[in-house]
Amino acid sequence: MSDAAHGVHGKPPTREEKWDRFRQSPFLPATVLVLIISAAACLFAGSYTYSMANPTPHSIPTAVVGQYEAARGRAFIEGMERALNASMKLRAYGTVTEARSAVEEQEIFAILDVRENGRLVRFDVSGASGASVAEVLAEAAVAVGRQTGVAVTLKDINPLQKGDPRGLAIFYISLAAVIIGFVGSIQLSVHARELNPLERIAFTVTYALIGGFGIAAVVDWGLGALDLPFVESWMILALTMLTSGMVFTMFNTLMGRWAMLPTWGLMVLLGNPSSGGAVSWALLPSLLGEVGRWLPPGASVNAQHTAVYFPDHQHAFPFLVLAGWLLVSLAVFLNWSHRHPGGRVRNPAHAGP
């Protein structure tokens, strides 16, 4: 056997020599990966279960109009607040039209229109604003109406599309764009390692545009699950894929082979459960609901949701969030591209063949 097997001059290897040999072998990173993957499985299950398994109202902005100050009206409203643990945030509006406008701006989730001195309540929910929120509000309203002797009529003034009765399709297409976005960047790093910085960016843009088009085409034209505003939805998906891909590239520049850790943590463990796609922000734990808006998955869901269901009231905020993450990622990658584990080594101009 070699000296390496027995240590120096045939002596048994010391503990330090064994550790040094293990550290330089492929077994160390493999062992670290086993531990990381095991921990990631636990965190993944815990993150999604904590966020989605038992959605609870935390802050549901609700409009009140009409005779809500009448005795029965106050009794009904107080009953709703008790049923929802005071999570309704009531906002008074002069007319139903003003309240409807607030729904379109996504400022409120429902309208409590109290009539006939509180004997009748017309409760308008907006399924498109959040299917889970509309369901919670409707169930509470019916139960409180029975308890208080108030007649309640329910109406969904902005229902979800027929092909997406639970309102999950937008979450799924945004999830696809996020995950395929950074997986594409990982594959470029593995199989096209020699790409120079501008070439890497160009190929990331290319697969984002083609991938975004493919997602929108399959969901709309192929499956008919959603009637998308096609060009806008395509661009949102492409921007999401590009941002996700460049976020991984940024972390790959900063952390090398361990870039998957912060990317997975930011995009999947934290970003997707807090995006408001599967469970509305009003039903998420309050901190997650606030943080989710500032992360790429939440911004993508927000922009796509507004494009599909509130097309005349699109907001700049989600696009600014995506653009901000993209610009920061590009800046880090381009300024420290020499640290990125890729690119071609160019021979100096004066070097010989």
Side-chain angles (χ1 to χ4, degrees):
M1 292 188 179
S2 64
D3 287 344
H6 292 285
V8 181
H9 304 302
K11 296 179 180 179
T14 63
R15 182 179 299 177
E16 290 77 11
E17 289 172 338
K18 290 180 180 179
W19 167 247
D20 187 61
R21 194 180 309 152
F22 177 71
R23 188 169 54 84
Q24 297 179 32
S25 75
F27 299 115
L28 176 60
T31 301
V32 172
L33 282 173
V34 166
L35 297 175
I36 289 173
I37 291 168
S38 301
C42 299
L43 290 172
F44 185 87
S47 174
Y48 279 68
T49 302
Y50 173 68
S51 304
M52 302 179 186
N54 186 26
T56 305
H58 291 279
S59 178
I60 306 178
T62 305
V64 289
V65 297
Q67 300 167 321
Y68 55 89
E69 293 183 347
R72 282 195 175 183
R74 288 199 305 270
F76 180 83
I77 291 172
E78 289 170 1
M80 287 290 294
E81 290 181 328
R82 286 194 299 271
L84 298 170
N85 295 318
S87 61
M88 278 204 320
K89 305 300 179 185
L90 298 178
R91 300 179 185 177
Y93 290 85
T95 65
V96 173
T97 301
E98 293 175 1
R100 287 279 186 99
S101 178
V103 171
E104 291 297 316
E105 287 290 340
Q106 300 181 71
E107 296 173 355
I108 61 173
F109 285 88
I111 304 171
L112 247 171
D113 183 6
V114 184
R115 304 179 180 185
E116 299 180 13
N117 288 321
R119 291 191 295 272
L120 173 65
V121 169
R122 177 170 176 171
F123 199 45
D124 292 342
V125 297
S126 174
S129 300
S132 48
V133 175
E135 184 177 345
V136 168
L137 288 174
E139 289 176 356
V142 171
V144 172
R146 291 197 194 102
Q147 294 169 4
T148 58
V150 173
V152 178
T153 61
L154 292 171
K155 182 180 179 181
D156 191 342
I157 58 175
N158 198 358
L160 293 163
Q161 295 184 15
K162 292 182 179 180
D164 184 30
R166 300 301 300 168
L168 295 175
I170 289 175
F171 173 65
Y172 294 146
I173 65 175
S174 301
L175 177 65
V178 167
I179 292 180
I180 301 303
F182 68 73
V183 167
S185 187
I186 293 171
Q187 293 305 304
L188 285 180
S189 296
V190 173
H191 300 292
R193 186 182 181 88
E194 295 184 350
L195 288 174
N196 285 325
L198 293 181
E199 295 168 345
R200 187 174 298 276
I201 293 171
F203 276 94
T204 306
V205 170
T206 301
Y207 77 64
L209 286 170
I210 297 174
F213 180 89
I215 294 172
V218 167
V219 171
D220 189 341
W221 302 342
L223 300 176
L226 285 173
D227 182 13
L228 298 173
F230 194 86
V231 174
E232 184 177 3
S233 290
W234 171 21
M235 290 299 104
I236 293 169
L237 291 166
L239 179 58
T240 302
M241 290 186 71
L242 175 60
T243 301
S244 185
M246 291 312 305
V247 164
F248 172 82
T249 303
M250 172 183 68
F251 286 130
N252 200 21
T253 302
L254 297 174
M255 303 182 64
R257 64 182 177 181
W258 300 111
M260 186 60 183
L261 294 180
T263 305
W264 181 263
L266 181 72
M267 296 294 194
V268 178
L269 292 183
L270 180 59
N272 284 322
S274 65
S275 67
V279 174
S280 175
W281 281 320
L283 301 184
L284 288 172
S286 55
L287 180 60
L288 281 182
E290 291 300 320
V291 170
R293 293 173 169 87
W294 294 89
L295 299 178
S300 180
V301 167
N302 192 351
Q304 196 70 253
H305 177 260
T306 304
V308 173
Y309 288 109
F310 304 95
D312 297 326
H313 300 270
Q314 184 61 272
H315 301 141
F317 178 73
F319 296 95
L320 293 176
V321 171
L322 287 170
W325 280 97
L326 176 59
L327 291 175
V328 168
S329 299
L330 286 169
V332 170
F333 174 51
L334 291 174
N335 278 284
W336 286 280
S337 59
H338 60 281
R339 296 184 53 178
H340 189 273
R344 295 187 295 279
V345 178
R346 297 181 181 274
N347 292 325
H350 61 273

